[in-house]
């Protein structure tokens, strides 16, 4: 055999392969309503087949899927022959192809000015509805484009299908065929699937699949129970009345007869505007209440449409711009587990890299173990992966038909994959956690949180620096922040004496952060700024919180049982207590004067006191807070009712007045004795 004969044999083999594959997908899609391939996969195969057949017309046969769009109607529905075939549209996939399509129009009708109508391409099931003297007579699916299924009874159940044409400025034609798309809204689809799942029935893969499956029910009562809708986008033919002369006018006429036409059509005069409109729809795609998979562009004038005619079975005067695919088929190579800041074990699928809409995707989130079990995702599975907007890619469905038996089920690890500590999952909760607060995988994230705003708020302590300290082995838990070797840090590349000093000051200052911030900074699961404030207000010190029973924590108004359990568990963990002991040793303030409970039994309880002079171990406001916590009433003026005046250095007129009135005067040292060391701000106690 010559080399070209060999090539031809290969080509014939490939053609046969593609035809068999497409036929099988067609059968699953149209007959069974159970597709195993994505639209993108299907389109790509059909496109490749068309291209090969164009290069080798001698290999084209009548039974090729390119010559026979769709499939034979399902047994059980009568057949309806379309008086005018329901043809498919050619597709364009980018701006260059769109412009090439427009350039072809100019070549065929040189010097002609075209106007275009641009409409969204609804992702549903194409149907044709025939009205005789204004009354709905019969309706059919597109089928193979020439013969469809009689679904008249099913269409009658759809509320957006007019059973009688509305009175309009246009005379009612003797016969009118309206063409459109039966579809489901995204929200309705989700509700339907929820209902089916509750009833233990098979759920639909997407709204189009749901619309097709619901419309092609032999029992029309089932169809009637489904949230189907109809958008009409074209007049098939008109008899016994004058036909509009443009597509734009045809849409207006259909609307006037009471049809729901495709929303927001645009009448445009240049291909630049058409492309702009394609992008306009693409940007809105995710936010629309229904699914669209592209944009349909038609030459507006029916006369021009006639002149342009057809190439093979595709009209030259229309095309569909198809959005980049958001779903692709690929393989799950592995399933790995990442550990997050709060210790969540996050399962991730490692995929055979696949291009989805111009982005290479090699990972998909699996959310949690229930999700993996629900979708039955196994290592080695062939899956449909979806990417929409900036959302992390996810696995939509496993193609179980393609299993070989070598696939491995996945189980979440009982121990943390990073530190080996036991993992834990609360009943009723989806996530599994590593129980170790010092888990190295969590440490960097944990420190980022600890030094951040709303927590200890250490300015200049950026994420990069924190990671560097962890990598250098200088930090093993958050308490190590307060035991850093500042001389060593000053010698680190890119830091220097001045930065080290600034950083040290910021770290030292953070020791006096209010208790609520410290509680938030600890990174207790579920506990954010708000919950941390509730706990600080109620317990006033970390020791009180740490030693509280589950019931006591649960009694905090606004906290709830899940958060209470989380707080309780956190302090039961010895490693967490060890970190708190280290914080205490480092001089971090573990109690909050502003919110601490008031001592009603101590030596200062109920006494009226006055502060004067300069204190050396604490600020005036810290002393006031400590006195209030001890139950004293702090006043600014000395009177006969004043019990004690605490006089610091350089006390002036208030001390004199106290002497005049015979009020007891005590020193700062005596104040400290009365307050007791435990009640003092950490900074005062440390000095
Ligand atoms: Zn761990």
């Amino acid at each position: 055999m010559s080399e070209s004969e060999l090539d031809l044999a290969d080509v014939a083999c490939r053609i046969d392969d593609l035809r068999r594959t497409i036929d099988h997908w067609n059968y699953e899609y149209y007959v069974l309503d159970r597709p195993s391939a994505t639209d993108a996969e299907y389109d790509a195969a059909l496109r490749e087949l068309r291209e090969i057949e164009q290069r080798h017309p001698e290999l084209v046969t009548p039974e090729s899927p390119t010559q026979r769009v769709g499939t034979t109607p399902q047994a059980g529905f009568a057949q309806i022959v379309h008086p005018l075939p329901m043809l498919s549209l050619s597709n364009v996939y980018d701006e260059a192809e769109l412009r090439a399509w427009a350039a072809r129009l100019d070549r065929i009708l040189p010097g002609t000015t075209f106007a275009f109508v641009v409409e969204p391409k609804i992702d549903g099931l194409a149907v044709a509805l025939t009205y005789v003297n204004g009354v709905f007579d019969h309706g059919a699916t597109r089928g193979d484009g020439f013969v469809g299924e009689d679904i008249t009874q099913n269409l009658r159940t759809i509320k957006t299908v007019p059973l009688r044409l509305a009175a309009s400025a246009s005379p009612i034609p003797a016969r009118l065929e309206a063409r459109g798309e039966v579809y489901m809204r995204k929200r309705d689809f989700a509700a339907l699937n929820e209902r089916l799942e509750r009833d233990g029935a098979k759920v639909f893969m997407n709204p189009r699949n749901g619309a097709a499956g619901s419309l092609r029910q032999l029992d029309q009562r089932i169809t009637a129970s489904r949230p189907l809708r109809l958008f009409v986008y074209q007049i098939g033919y008109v008899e016994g009345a004058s036909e509009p002369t443009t597509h734009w006018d045809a849409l207006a006429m259909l609307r006037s007869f009471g049809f729901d036409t495709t929303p927001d059509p645009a009448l445009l005069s240049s291909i630049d505007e058409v492309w702009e409109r394609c992008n306009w729809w693409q940007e809105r795609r995710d936010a629309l209440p229904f699914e669209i998979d592209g944009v349909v562009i038609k030459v507006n004038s029916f006369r021009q449409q006639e002149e342009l005619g057809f190439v093979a079975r595709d009209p030259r005067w229309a095309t569909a711009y198809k959005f980049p695919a958001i779903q692709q088929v690929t393989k799950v190579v592995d399933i790995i587990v990442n550990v997050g800041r709060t210790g969540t074990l996050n399962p991730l699928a490692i995929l055979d890299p696949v291009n989805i809409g111009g982005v290479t995707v090699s990972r998909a989130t699996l959310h949690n173990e229930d999700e993996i079990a629900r979708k039955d995702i196994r290592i080695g599975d062939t899956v449909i992966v979806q990417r929409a907007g900036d959302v992390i890619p996810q696995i939509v469905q496993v193609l179980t038909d393609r299993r070989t038996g070598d696939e491995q089920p996945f189980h979440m690890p009982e121990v943390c994959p990073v530190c080996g500590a036991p993992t834990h999952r609360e009943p009723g909760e989806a996530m599994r956690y590593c129980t170790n607060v010092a888990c190295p995988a969590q440490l960097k994230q944990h420190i980022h949180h600890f030094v951040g705003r709303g927590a200890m708020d250490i300015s200049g302590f950026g994420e990069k620096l924190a990671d560097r300290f962890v990598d250098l082995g200088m930090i093993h838990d958050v308490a190590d922040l307060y035991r850093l070797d500042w001389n060593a840090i000053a010698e680190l590349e890119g830091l220097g004496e001045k930065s080290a000093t600034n950083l040290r000051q910021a770290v030292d200052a953070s020791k006096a952060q209010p208790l609520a911030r410290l509680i938030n900074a600890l990174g207790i699961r579920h506990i954010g700024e708000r919950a941390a404030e509730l706990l600080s207000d109620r317990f006033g010190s970390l020791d009180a919180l740490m030693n509280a029973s589950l019931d006591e924590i649960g009694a905090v108004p606004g906290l709830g049982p899940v958060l209470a359990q989380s707080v309780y568990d956190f302090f039961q963990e010895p490693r967490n207590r060890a970190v708190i002991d280290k914080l205490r040793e480092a001089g971090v303030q573990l109690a909050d004067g502003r919110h601490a409970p008031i001592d009603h039994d101590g030596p200062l309880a109920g006494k009226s006191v006055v502060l004067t002079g300069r204190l050396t171990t604490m600020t005036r406001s810290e002393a006031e807070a400590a006195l209030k916590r001890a139950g004293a009433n702090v006043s600014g003026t000395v009177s006969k009712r004043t019990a004690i005046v605490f006089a610091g250095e350089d006390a002036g007129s208030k001390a004199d007045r106290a002497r005049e009135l015979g009020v007891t005067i005590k020193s700062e040292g005596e104040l400290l004795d009365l307050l007791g060391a435990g009640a003092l701000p950490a900074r005062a106690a440390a000095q």
Side-chain angles (χ1 to χ4, degrees), residues 163-422:
L163 295 179
R164 189 179 288 269
L165 297 183
S168 132
S170 314
I172 298 289
R175 279 179 94 87
L176 167 81
E177 188 198 78
R179 293 176 174 183
E181 201 87 358
V182 172
Y183 70 100
M184 246 180 227
R185 287 188 168 184
K186 292 174 187 171
R187 205 182 43 209
D188 294 338
F189 166 73
L192 170 65
N193 258 0
E194 245 171 58
R195 201 176 83 206
L196 291 173
E197 196 163 18
R198 239 190 349 261
D199 298 347
K202 190 180 162 297
V203 298
F204 290 109
M205 189 175 143
N206 54 45
R208 191 217 32 234
N209 186 225
S214 300
L215 190 58
R216 294 168 68 259
Q217 290 281 344
L218 287 170
D219 183 348
Q220 71 196 62
R221 288 171 301 180
I222 296 175
T223 306
S225 74
R226 302 284 169 82
L228 294 171
R229 291 162 169 271
L230 173 75
F231 275 138
V232 161
Y233 52 70
Q234 196 177 358
I235 288 177
Y237 63 90
V238 174
E239 281 173 19
S242 62
E243 204 175 342
T245 58
T246 66
H247 180 58
W248 189 254
D249 291 343
L251 290 176
M253 187 172 117
L254 288 167
R255 267 195 303 276
S256 77
F257 284 146
F259 289 104
D260 197 9
T261 57
T262 42
D264 298 308
L267 180 59
L268 305 171
S269 56
S270 75
I271 209 69
D272 289 336
E273 289 173 305
V274 168
W275 177 241
E276 209 173 282
R277 190 71 177 172
C278 289
N279 289 318
W280 187 89
W281 277 111
Q282 197 168 324
E283 278 163 26
R284 274 154 191 76
R285 179 185 193 178
D286 290 341
L288 294 171
F290 45 83
E291 293 210 329
I292 63 175
D293 61 350
V295 175
V296 176
I297 303 120
K298 287 175 182 158
V299 168
N300 188 36
S301 155
F302 286 159
R303 190 176 50 76
Q304 287 173 355
Q305 287 188 6
E306 234 163 83
E307 285 169 0
L308 288 163
F310 293 79
V311 56
R313 288 183 182 161
D314 295 340
R316 280 202 187 90
W317 44 265
T319 193
Y321 166 63
K322 297 273 277 212
F323 294 145
I326 56 165
Q327 291 190 344
Q328 282 290 359
V329 170
T330 189
K331 248 188 155 64
V332 176
V333 177
D334 198 3
I335 294 176
I336 61 161
V337 173
N338 276 352
V339 182
R341 170 176 69 78
T342 53
T344 50
L345 269 59
N346 307 313
L348 273 180
I350 304 296
L351 307 170
D352 248 354
V354 62
N355 187 300
I356 308 183
V359 175
T360 302
V361 171
S362 56
R363 287 169 171 231
T365 178
L366 296 172
H367 302 290
N368 56 57
E369 50 197 298
D370 289 348
E371 178 87 351
I372 297 171
R374 193 173 66 75
K375 291 179 177 166
D376 189 19
I377 299 165
R378 303 179 190 177
I379 298 164
D381 265 339
T382 304
V383 295
I384 296 175
V385 178
Q386 175 168 304
R387 187 184 71 86
D390 295 329
V391 180
I392 306 166
Q394 43 187 307
I395 290 174
V396 179
Q397 195 195 17
V398 174
L399 300 177
T400 47
D401 290 355
R402 300 197 193 179
R403 278 194 178 147
T404 63
D406 296 334
E407 293 76 16
Q408 297 297 314
F410 171 79
H411 302 286
M412 288 291 269
E414 296 288 320
V415 296
C416 172
V418 177
C419 73

Side-chain angles (χ1 to χ4, degrees), residues 444-525:
K444 286 180 186 176
Q445 307 260 31
H446 197 175
I447 289 168
H448 300 162
H449 173 72
F450 189 87
V451 303
R453 291 204 182 86
M456 299 306 264
D457 197 13
I458 303 177
S459 62
F461 214 117
E463 296 194 355
K464 275 187 185 155
L465 200 58
D467 291 352
R468 199 170 163 194
F469 289 166
V470 172
D471 291 338
L472 287 168
M474 298 172 93
I475 298 179
H476 303 95
D477 58 49
V478 293
D480 282 343
L481 287 177
Y482 299 102
R483 320 161 92 180
L484 286 165
D485 181 346
W486 293 105
N487 294 326
I489 288 169
E491 278 163 28
L492 287 178
E493 202 188 314
L495 264 152
E497 195 85 37
K498 193 167 187 309
S499 320
T501 305
N502 289 341
L503 194 59
R504 179 180 194 163
Q505 282 168 356
V507 168
D508 282 344
S510 76
K511 290 179 187 177
Q513 288 288 12
L515 179 63
R517 278 169 171 267
L518 176 63
I519 294 172
N520 179 25
L522 290 175
I524 304 168
R525 187 151 46 97

